[in-house]
CSV table of all heavy atoms in Angstrom, one decimal:
chain,number,residue,atom,x,y,z
A,336,HIS,N,74.0,186.8,48.5
A,336,HIS,CA,73.3,185.8,49.2
A,336,HIS,C,72.0,186.3,49.8
A,336,HIS,O,71.4,185.5,50.6
A,336,HIS,CB,74.2,185.2,50.3
A,336,HIS,CG,75.5,184.5,49.8
A,336,HIS,ND1,75.5,183.2,49.3
A,336,HIS,CD2,76.7,185.0,49.6
A,336,HIS,CE1,76.7,182.9,48.9
A,336,HIS,NE2,77.5,183.9,49.1
A,337,LYS,N,71.7,187.5,49.6
A,337,LYS,CA,70.4,188.1,50.1
A,337,LYS,C,70.4,188.0,51.6
A,337,LYS,O,69.3,187.5,52.2
A,337,LYS,CB,69.2,187.5,49.4
A,337,LYS,CG,69.2,187.7,47.9
A,337,LYS,CD,68.0,187.1,47.3
A,337,LYS,CE,68.0,187.2,45.7
A,337,LYS,NZ,68.3,188.6,45.2
A,338,ILE,N,71.4,188.4,52.3
A,338,ILE,CA,71.5,188.2,53.7
A,338,ILE,C,70.5,189.0,54.5
A,338,ILE,O,69.9,188.5,55.5
A,338,ILE,CB,72.9,188.6,54.2
A,338,ILE,CG1,74.0,187.8,53.5
A,338,ILE,CG2,73.0,188.5,55.7
A,338,ILE,CD1,74.0,186.3,53.9
A,339,LYS,N,70.1,190.2,53.9
A,339,LYS,CA,69.2,191.0,54.6
A,339,LYS,C,67.8,190.4,54.7
A,339,LYS,O,66.9,190.9,55.5
A,339,LYS,CB,69.1,192.4,54.0
A,339,LYS,CG,70.4,193.2,54.2
A,339,LYS,CD,70.2,194.7,53.7
A,339,LYS,CE,71.4,195.5,54.1
A,339,LYS,NZ,71.3,196.9,53.6
A,340,LYS,N,67.5,189.4,53.9
A,340,LYS,CA,66.2,188.8,54.0
A,340,LYS,C,66.1,187.8,55.1
A,340,LYS,O,65.0,187.2,55.4
A,340,LYS,CB,65.9,188.1,52.6
A,340,LYS,CG,65.6,189.1,51.5
A,340,LYS,CD,65.2,188.4,50.3
A,340,LYS,CE,64.9,189.4,49.1
A,340,LYS,NZ,64.3,188.7,47.9
A,341,HIS,N,67.2,187.5,55.8
A,341,HIS,CA,67.2,186.6,56.9
A,341,HIS,C,67.1,187.3,58.2
A,341,HIS,O,67.4,188.5,58.3
A,341,HIS,CB,68.6,185.8,56.8
A,341,HIS,CG,68.7,184.8,55.7
A,341,HIS,ND1,68.2,183.6,55.7
A,341,HIS,CD2,69.2,185.0,54.4
A,341,HIS,CE1,68.4,183.0,54.5
A,341,HIS,NE2,69.0,183.9,53.7
A,342,PRO,N,66.7,186.6,59.3
A,342,PRO,CA,66.6,187.3,60.6
A,342,PRO,C,68.0,187.8,61.0
A,342,PRO,O,69.0,187.3,60.7
A,342,PRO,CB,66.1,186.2,61.5
A,342,PRO,CG,65.5,185.2,60.6
A,342,PRO,CD,66.2,185.2,59.3
A,346,ARG,N,72.4,186.4,60.8
A,346,ARG,CA,73.2,186.9,59.8
A,346,ARG,C,74.7,186.7,60.0
A,346,ARG,O,75.4,186.6,59.0
A,346,ARG,CB,72.9,188.4,59.6
A,346,ARG,CG,71.5,188.7,59.1
A,346,ARG,CD,71.2,190.1,58.9
A,346,ARG,NE,69.8,190.4,58.6
A,346,ARG,CZ,69.2,191.5,58.4
A,346,ARG,NH1,69.9,192.6,58.6
A,346,ARG,NH2,67.9,191.6,58.1
Side-chain angles (χ1 to χ4, degrees):
H336 297 276
K337 302 185 185 302
I338 301 294
K339 287 188 176 181
K340 291 187 176 181
H341 294 273
R346 293 180 186 178

